[in-house]
């Protein structure tokens, strides 16, 4: 076994690896993770790098063309060093080199999506107050001093005063607080601030700290959305409810696969795989915490509570809980309602005694992120029949109102996150997000996120692309290229035909950006899964599409989707566009609500217990609906009257 030095450009970082290590794993370990939606199996083609100097041993070229091979392109996951190397990472290949858009950046981008003016952006409509018994709070207590007539112990005095002020009966305390309690009470003249940390509904409240009232030290909470693709966090002043900052980034687990099943398999089949995945997500969240605390000029120990929302697999991996049985029939997770844990025990870099709460989930594939979304929309508090859809790596949806809620999850695959396509990419700078194609397929108009040269195409662009390819006559209803198309952009490629969206001269990566017939059909399978899930729920409760009064679309992808084009390809129901509303990151919104409001926390537990989970693999309904939805927009055009007219 030989060791070689590898210099990574443009970071100019030097790493050492053996001839038995592939470049993808070595670069990930060195803090330079690459996009690899297939988990390093060589099928997605996203971890391409350029060998500038030296030799590699590559087992498979994957989707890299012969011209690209002549330019030095290889797949990092399939390449091991055979000498010292200089490796260049092309723009758009490195995972996390572009920030996830949040806050004002999102709103600025929303303004560019004005074509669906009838579909509006909803920033949260719920009945919970801004700050109402947050998970961590401080109260001022003036405690009567002990006397010969009243010689009660210090802890008894503290609990008596706390109960009198708050009405809380179930109080506990840590050993560290008890050790310091006598001195703190007397040094403060019995005028103190008492920190109350809610543990769980059934565990009561812990007295987490006692200090002199005059200290005036501020304290913060953290809301976290642990997404399969992206992770977002918001730092909140727990006294005022004001946001101190928000950050988003890509989940570093993505190098082990784009979807939860790939990551569960990695945890099962690789020694130390579960630990690798837990380390990756903790590093992702802890880096966000460091940035947020630094931006506000506070210490990370000033963060005294956290509420996390994520799908069932993500929360298992975050805590290092074995997720194996989530993917095995009858699909049973280790836990749906996770008890609060201490940050130090979990590895989160905030105050070590801070409590981390998790929004409860319902089932293996309907987790706390969906509960948080239902909470944020307020749909469980109204009699309006509402459909909530979170389209990401999985398609998760909830139908119902204040009387009943039914949910399901379908494996949409990573297509709408850009995964599984040669030039697919997440919604970041350089991604084609809007597409228009001329009637004969000869010319293409597009726009990219950031306005620069295109590097690939993201989910919103893919929906536009498929819709316009069909509208222009380049493809038929089944996604196949028309046999006699005259478009100069349709050409033969390895394994079939493809359509060129951007020629190499205009593309940022120096190669043509194209979409193949196989990839188009892959997108149709993804949209069919989502639509079939919605139809299956409606059939379960015996309701038509017309009964739906409101539709919330959540998630980073859902925020920018062109509603009309999504209806045109059969992804979303053909109901009036005015009924659709964007909710943005509803998982983060729900986590923030729960951080600040006991009413919200109680409501989240009620929602999770109220949702009836529909297992789509049971029976034939979903599969029949799925097969029917594999065409543009559907085999039954009566379900899409306005799309058919267009």
């Amino acid at each position: 076994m030989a060791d070689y030095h590898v210099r990574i450009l443009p970071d100019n970082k030097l790493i050492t690896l053996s001839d038995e290590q592939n470049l993808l794993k070595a670069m990930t370990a060195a803090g330079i993770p690459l996009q690899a939606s297939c988990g390093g199996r060589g099928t997605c083609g996203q971890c391409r790098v350029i060998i500038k100097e030296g030799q590699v041993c590559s087992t498979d070229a994957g989707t890299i063309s012969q011209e690209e091979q002549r330019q030095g392109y290889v797949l990092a996951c399939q390449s091991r060093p055979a000498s010292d190397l200089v490796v260049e990472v092309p723009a758009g290949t490195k995972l996390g080199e572009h920030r996830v858009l949040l806050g004002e950046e999102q709103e600025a981008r929303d303004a560019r999506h004005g074509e669906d003016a009838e579909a509006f952006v909803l920033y949260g409509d719920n009945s919970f107050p801004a700050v109402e018994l947050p998970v961590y709070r401080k109260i001022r207590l003036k405690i009567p001093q002990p006397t010969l007539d009243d010689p009660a112990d210090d802890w008894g005095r503290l609990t008596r005063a706390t109960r009198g002020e708050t009405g809380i009966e179930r109080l506990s305390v840590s050993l560290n607080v008890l050790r310091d309690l006598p001195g703190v009470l007397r040094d403060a003249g019995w005028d103190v601030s008492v920190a109350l940390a809610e543990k769980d509904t059934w565990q009561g409240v812990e007295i987490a700290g006692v200090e002199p009232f005059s200290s005036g030290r501020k304290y913060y909470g953290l809301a976290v959305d642990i997404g399969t693709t992206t992770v977002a966090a918001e730092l909140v002043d727990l006294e005022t409810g004001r946001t101190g900052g928000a950050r988003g980034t890509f989940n570093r687990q993505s190098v082990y696969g784009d979807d939860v099943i790939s990551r569960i398999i990695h945890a099962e089949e690789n020694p130390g795989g579960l630990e690798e995945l837990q380390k990756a997500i903790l590093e992702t969240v802890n880096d966000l915490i460091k940035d947020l605390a630094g931006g506000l000029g506070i210490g990370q120990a000033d963060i005294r509570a956290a509420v996390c929302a994520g799908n069932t697999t993500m929360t298992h991996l975050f805590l290092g809980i074995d997720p194996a049985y989530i993917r095995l029939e009858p699909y049973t997770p280790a836990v749906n309602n996770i008890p609060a844990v201490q940050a130090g025990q979990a590895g989160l870099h905030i105050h070590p005694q801070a409590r981390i709460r998790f929004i409860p989930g319902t089932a293996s594939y309907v987790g706390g992120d969906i509960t948080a979304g239902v909470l944020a929309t307020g749909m469980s508090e109204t009699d309006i029949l509402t459909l909530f859809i979170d389209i990401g790596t999985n398609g998760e949806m909830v139908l119902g109102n204040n009387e009943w809620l039914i949910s399901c999850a379908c494996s949409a695959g990573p297509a709408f996150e850009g995964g599984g396509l040669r030039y697919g990419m997440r919604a970041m700078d350089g991604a084609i997000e809007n597409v228009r194609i001329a009637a004969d397929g000869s010319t293409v108009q597009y726009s990219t996120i950031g306005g620069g040269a295109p590097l690939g195409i993201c989910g919103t662009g893919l929906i536009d692309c498929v819709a316009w390819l069909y509208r222009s006559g380049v493809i038929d209803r089944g996604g196949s290229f028309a046999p006699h198309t005259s478009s100069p952009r349709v050409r033969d490629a390895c394994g079939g035909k493809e359509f060129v969206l951007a020629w190499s001269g205009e593309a940022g990566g120096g190669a043509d950006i194209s979409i193949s017939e196989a990839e188009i059909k892959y997108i149709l399978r993804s949209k069919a899964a989502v639509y079939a899930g919605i139809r299956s729920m409606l059939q379960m409760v015996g309701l038509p599409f017309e009964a739906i009064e409101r539709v919330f679309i959540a998630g980073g992808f859902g925020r920018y989707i062109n509603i009309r084009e999504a209806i045109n390809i059969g992804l979303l129901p053909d109901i009036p566009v005015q009924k659709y509303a964007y909710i943005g990151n509803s998982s983060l919104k729900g986590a923030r609500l729960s951080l600040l409001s006991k009413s919200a926390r109680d409501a989240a537990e009620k929602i999770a217990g109220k949702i009836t989970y529909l297992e789509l693999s049971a029976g034939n309904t979903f599969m029949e609906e799925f097969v029917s939805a594999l065409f543009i927009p559907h085999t039954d055009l009566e379900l899409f009257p306005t799309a058919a007219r267009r």
Side-chain angles (χ1 to χ4, degrees):
M1 183 175 70
D3 289 335
Y4 296 106
H5 299 296
V6 180
R7 185 169 298 280
I8 311 296
L9 303 177
D11 300 70
N12 201 33
K13 188 169 187 177
L14 186 65
I15 64 175
T16 301
L17 65 156
S18 75
D19 56 5
E20 295 182 353
Q21 290 178 284
N22 69 53
L23 291 174
L24 175 64
K25 289 188 176 181
M27 292 170 70
T28 298
I32 310 175
L34 307 181
Q35 296 197 71
S37 62
C38 67
R41 293 188 292 273
T43 57
C44 71
Q46 293 178 326
C47 65
R48 54 183 62 199
V49 296
I50 305 170
I51 305 301
K52 306 295 286 187
E53 296 179 18
Q55 301 293 321
V56 296
C57 176
S58 295
T59 56
D60 188 355
T63 58
I64 296 178
S65 67
Q66 291 184 350
E67 175 60 28
E68 290 172 325
Q69 291 179 51
R70 284 191 289 269
Q71 296 173 23
Y73 280 87
V74 298
L75 293 181
C77 67
Q78 301 296 305
S79 302
R80 294 177 285 109
S83 70
D84 290 343
L85 300 173
V86 175
V87 179
E88 179 182 344
V89 181
T93 297
K94 185 178 176 182
L95 181 69
E97 60 188 338
H98 303 280
R99 290 182 298 117
V100 175
L101 300 176
L102 289 173
E104 293 179 0
E105 295 172 300
Q106 283 185 330
E107 294 181 35
R109 189 174 170 212
D110 289 336
R112 301 202 304 272
H113 289 252
E115 297 175 21
D116 288 311
E118 298 160 296
F120 59 94
V121 179
L122 180 78
Y123 289 98
D125 178 18
N126 55 72
S127 59
F128 304 112
V131 181
E132 179 261 323
L133 299 180
V135 290
Y136 180 93
R137 60 192 174 104
K138 290 184 179 180
I139 59 172
R140 181 181 184 180
L141 290 179
K142 292 185 177 181
I143 302 173
Q145 299 184 33
T147 65
L148 289 174
D149 294 328
D150 181 16
D153 62 287
D154 293 346
W155 169 242
R157 291 178 175 280
L158 178 63
T159 54
R160 184 171 61 193
T162 303
R163 290 189 180 106
E165 178 69 21
T166 65
I168 299 171
E169 288 297 323
R170 301 177 67 181
L171 291 167
S172 61
V173 67
S174 69
L175 181 58
N176 288 335
V177 173
L178 278 180
R179 284 171 173 164
D180 296 337
L181 185 61
V184 170
L185 289 175
R186 287 159 180 83
D187 290 344
W190 302 87
D191 185 3
V192 294
S193 288
V194 177
L196 302 176
E198 183 180 302
K199 296 193 287 186
D200 282 304
T201 303
W202 59 89
Q203 289 183 321
V205 173
E206 178 182 63
I207 294 180
V210 181
E211 59 187 15
F213 175 72
S214 59
S215 68
R217 189 173 182 179
K218 294 186 75 64
Y219 48 99
Y220 297 86
L222 189 74
V224 185
D225 164 41
I226 310 173
T228 307
T229 303
T230 59
V231 179
E234 189 171 347
L235 191 61
V236 181
D237 184 323
L238 289 176
E239 186 175 12
T240 65
R242 293 175 181 170
T243 296
R247 295 284 189 278
T249 189
F250 296 104
N251 190 332
R252 293 184 189 176
Q253 291 180 343
S254 295
V255 297
Y256 304 105
D258 256 3
D259 57 86
V260 296
I261 299 300
S262 296
R263 297 182 200 175
I264 293 173
I265 292 172
H266 180 84
E268 288 182 80
E269 297 183 352
N270 296 275
L274 178 57
E275 289 76 14
E276 286 179 325
L277 289 161
Q278 184 185 23
K279 179 184 177 183
I281 186 57
L282 282 172
E283 287 178 347
T284 303
V285 178
N286 283 330
D287 279 355
L288 289 176
I289 293 171
K290 183 179 179 180
D291 288 347
L292 287 167
L296 202 58
I298 66 169
Q300 291 174 220
D302 291 328
I303 305 172
R304 301 303 301 260
V307 174
C308 300
N311 68 50
T312 308
T313 300
M314 287 301 100
T315 52
H316 278 57
L317 296 178
F318 181 86
L319 292 172
I321 300 172
D322 184 3
Y325 300 99
I326 290 175
R327 77 178 186 98
L328 301 175
E329 193 174 345
Y331 317 112
T332 306
V335 57
N336 279 320
N337 195 347
I338 301 172
V341 299
Q342 286 193 341
Q345 184 182 11
L348 204 63
H349 293 170
I350 58 177
H351 193 286
Q353 274 79 53
R355 293 281 173 175
I356 308 173
R357 292 176 62 100
F358 296 84
I359 305 289
T362 299
S364 282
Y365 298 106
V366 175
D369 53 343
I370 302 305
T371 303
V374 173
L375 175 70
T377 64
M379 62 182 285
S380 64
E381 306 296 323
T382 177
D383 58 1
I384 297 173
L385 183 62
T386 303
L387 173 64
F388 170 81
I389 310 173
D390 190 339
I391 305 174
T393 309
N394 283 327
E396 298 141 330
M397 53 208 78
V398 181
L399 178 71
N401 54 21
N402 56 4
E403 294 184 0
W404 54 271
L405 296 168
I406 185 172
S407 71
C408 71
C410 59
S411 181
F416 295 125
E417 301 283 358
L421 292 91
R422 184 181 181 189
Y423 294 104
M425 61 187 294
R426 296 178 176 90
M428 57 192 192
D429 289 348
I432 295 173
E433 60 174 346
N434 293 119
V435 176
R436 296 293 181 269
I437 300 172
D440 58 356
S442 59
T443 59
V444 176
Q445 293 180 326
Y446 56 77
S447 63
T448 64
I449 299 174
L455 300 172
I457 184 168
C458 65
T460 56
L462 289 168
I463 290 174
D464 281 6
C465 178
V466 172
W468 280 88
L469 283 173
Y470 175 61
R471 187 177 294 129
S472 64
V474 175
I475 62 173
D476 62 21
R477 292 181 62 198
S480 299
F481 284 109
H484 304 297
T485 179
S486 59
S487 173
R489 292 175 177 266
V490 177
R491 66 188 185 189
D492 292 327
C494 180
K497 293 179 180 287
E498 65 182 12
F499 181 87
V500 179
L501 289 165
W503 300 107
S504 59
E506 60 194 271
D512 296 342
I513 296 174
S514 61
I515 184 169
S516 69
E517 185 173 283
E519 290 172 332
I520 292 169
K521 293 187 176 183
Y522 170 50
I523 295 165
L524 293 186
R525 289 195 295 274
S526 296
K527 74 92 180 175
V530 174
Y531 186 81
I534 299 170
R535 282 272 289 174
S536 297
M537 286 197 304
L538 285 166
Q539 288 196 30
M540 178 73 176
V541 295
L543 291 174
F545 280 116
E546 292 75 18
I548 299 173
E549 300 174 74
R550 187 167 58 184
V551 181
F552 289 119
I553 301 178
F557 163 74
R559 189 182 185 97
Y560 310 118
I561 190 175
N562 185 313
I563 298 294
R564 286 196 178 91
E565 299 298 17
I567 292 172
N568 286 342
I569 70 168
L571 170 64
L572 296 176
D574 193 351
I575 59 178
V577 175
Q578 298 92 326
K579 291 187 176 184
Y580 285 91
Y582 304 120
I583 184 66
N585 191 332
S586 60
S587 178
L588 187 63
K589 293 180 192 298
R592 186 182 187 277
L593 282 170
S594 295
L595 186 70
L596 295 173
S597 167
K598 188 176 190 311
S599 297
R601 294 191 293 278
D602 291 344
E605 294 207 7
K606 182 179 176 183
I607 289 166
K610 181 179 178 181
I611 293 175
T612 298
Y613 177 62
L614 174 61
E615 177 52 63
L616 295 179
S617 64
N620 300 321
T621 300
F622 174 77
M623 187 53 64
E624 291 171 355
E625 292 293 341
F626 173 76
V627 172
S628 298
L630 286 172
F631 296 84
I632 303 173
H634 197 275
T635 53
D636 184 359
L637 292 180
E638 291 186 2
L639 293 172
F640 288 87
T642 59
R645 285 197 300 271
R646 294 190 194 113

